[in-house]
């Protein structure tokens, strides 16, 4: 091959390479532009306002209303109070809720200055340290799943055992930051595998509207309050069951993602003011008009739906009075 042919071949190869590079660049540019124009921008539509923020430090215990709360990945926090980070258990470590002991709804747990305080009807207040590193760690069972909790000591155990008046012994445990949380996806497949909770049933945030509670009350002989359903966030200025259609919402800097409806059980029949369980209402009325679609029976079975379970996509601060926006694309 002479010099002229070599030069011609080199020129041809360079042209081919240039064409390939150009084509690849054009493809990338086209993909980028296409993605830009195909990706729909977010639209925020106001759907309500936060009317209540409720923290339940003790699972099944009395709610603590707050005006401001941190919305963390594993639930709400206000000062030293963290949602459902305390749990009553049997000596064997099995969880105890108002399903077994209805009067648990009258027990309040508060924290200040590094101490926890237990209060209940006809009981003297009990004060004990939040941190008790020398106490044993219990392996607890919450809905058949294992999770740890630091025992809060014999005084707390005696207080609870005396309060319930049963022959059984009860103990109080506290979840500490270095302990391993539960993964709700192990029980409810609609949750993402990386989502974590402490002692709540499943979701880190439960949202309910005032209008839904009023709608239910209008069908009952005796009105019920939002506290009976133990929500984290209560929404006002919206219609009954509007919250069912809010797949993604923005409240201040907080972004919440709906996972599933909240299937209701016999615990809704416990009056939060008296600690009495009727085993009937409002559960029976809810069953008359709030059952799931036939296609969702594998998820909810015969449980009526009331309220929505959310995970926290973006953490931040919540205030009573914050406007709530439904995000669409």
């Amino acid at each position: 091959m002479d010099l002229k042919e070599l030069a011609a071949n080199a020129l041809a190869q360079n042209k081919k390479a240039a064409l390939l590079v150009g084509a690849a660049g054009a493809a990338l540019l086209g993909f980028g532009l296409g993605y830009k124009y195909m990706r729909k921008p977010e639209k925020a539509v106001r759907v309500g306002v936060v009317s209540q923020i409720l923290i339940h430090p003790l699972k099944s215990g009395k709610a603590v209303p707050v005006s401001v709360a941190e919305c963390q990945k594993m639930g709400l926090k206000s000062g030293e109070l963290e949602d459902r980070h305390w749990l009553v258990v049997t000596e064997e470590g099995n969880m105890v809720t108002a399903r077994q002991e209805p009067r648990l709804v009258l027990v309040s747990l508060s924290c200040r200055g590094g101490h926890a305080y237990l209060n209940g009807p006809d009981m003297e207040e009990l004060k004990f340290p939040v941190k008790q590193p020398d106490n044993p760690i219990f392996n607890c069972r919450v809905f058949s799943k294992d999770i740890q909790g630091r025992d809060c000591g014999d005084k707390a155990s005696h207080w609870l055992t005396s309060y319930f008046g049963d022959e059984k012994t009860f103990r109080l445990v506290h979840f500490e930051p270095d302990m391993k949380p539960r993964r709700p996806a192990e029980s409810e497949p609609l949750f993402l595998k990386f989502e974590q909770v402490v002692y709540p049933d499943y979701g880190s945030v439960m949202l309910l509207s005032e209008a839904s509670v009023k709608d239910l009350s209008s069908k009952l002989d005796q009105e019920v309050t939002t506290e009976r359903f133990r929500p984290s966030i209560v929404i006002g200025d919206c219609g009954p069951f509007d919250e069912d259609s809010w797949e993604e919402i923005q409240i201040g800097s907080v972004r919440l993602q709906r996972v599933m409806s909240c299937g209701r059980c016999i615990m809704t029949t416990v009056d939060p003011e008296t600690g009495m369980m009727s085993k009937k209402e409002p559960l029976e009325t809810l069953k008359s008009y709030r059952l799931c679609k036939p296609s969702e029976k594998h998820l909810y079975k015969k449980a009526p739906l009331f309220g929505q379970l959310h995970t926290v996509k973006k953490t931040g601060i919540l205030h009573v009075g914050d406007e709530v926006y439904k995000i669409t694309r």
Side-chain angles (χ1 to χ4, degrees), residues 73 191 195 197 202-208 233 243 246-249 255-260 307-313:
K73 284 289 185 180
F191 284 88
E195 296 292 349
V197 293
Y202 300 111
S204 56
V205 172
M206 202 278 278
L207 185 144
L208 182 64
I233 305 170
E243 65 269 29
W246 302 341
E247 293 300 320
E248 191 172 345
I249 59 174
R255 182 68 66 96
L256 301 177
Q257 178 70 54
R258 178 187 174 274
V259 178
M260 61 189 296
Q308 300 296 321
L309 298 176
H310 288 251
T311 55
V312 182
K313 287 186 71 174

Side-chain angles (χ1 to χ4, degrees), residues 4 35 50 72 108 124 138 178 220 235 244 248-249 260 292 309-310 321:
K4 184 186 274 190
Y35 179 75
V50 176
Q72 302 181 330
S108 66
E124 287 189 16
F138 271 53
D178 59 347
L220 299 170
I235 307 300
D244 294 358
E248 191 172 345
I249 59 174
M260 61 189 296
C292 68
L309 298 176
H310 288 251

Side-chain angles (χ1 to χ4, degrees), residues 52-65:
Q52 282 182 286
I53 301 173
L54 300 171
I55 294 181
H56 301 81
L58 174 63
K59 185 174 178 66
S60 276
K62 202 173 185 67
V64 179

Side-chain angles (χ1 to χ4, degrees), residues 70-86:
E70 296 177 54
C71 189
Q72 302 181 330
K73 284 289 185 180
M74 291 195 294
L76 301 185
K77 181 178 186 294
S78 178
E80 297 178 56
L81 293 179
E82 294 184 87
D83 193 75
R84 294 169 174 91
H85 272 53
W86 304 79

Side-chain angles (χ1 to χ4, degrees), residues 48-53 67 210 232-236 251 318-324:
V49 64
V50 176
S51 61
Q52 282 182 286
I53 301 173
S67 58
E210 289 179 344
S232 312
I233 305 170
V234 182
I235 307 300
I251 308 174
L318 295 172
H319 301 81
V320 169
D322 280 349
E323 293 187 321
V324 182

Side-chain angles (χ1 to χ4, degrees), residues 57-58 62 64 80-81 86 106-120 123-130 132 152 156 159-160 172:
L58 174 63
K62 202 173 185 67
V64 179
E80 297 178 56
L81 293 179
W86 304 79
L106 304 179
V107 175
S108 66
L109 188 148
S110 57
C111 298
R112 57 186 181 275
H115 284 84
Y117 299 80
L118 277 176
N119 281 281
M123 297 291 292
E124 287 189 16
E125 181 178 77
L126 178 69
K127 174 184 175 181
F128 57 93
V130 171
Q132 301 187 63
C152 294
W159 192 98
L160 288 167
L172 181 68

Side-chain angles (χ1 to χ4, degrees), residues 6-21:
L6 286 172
N9 284 338
L11 181 60
Q13 290 296 326
N14 286 338
K15 283 184 178 180
K16 185 177 180 181
L19 285 171
L20 287 172
V21 171

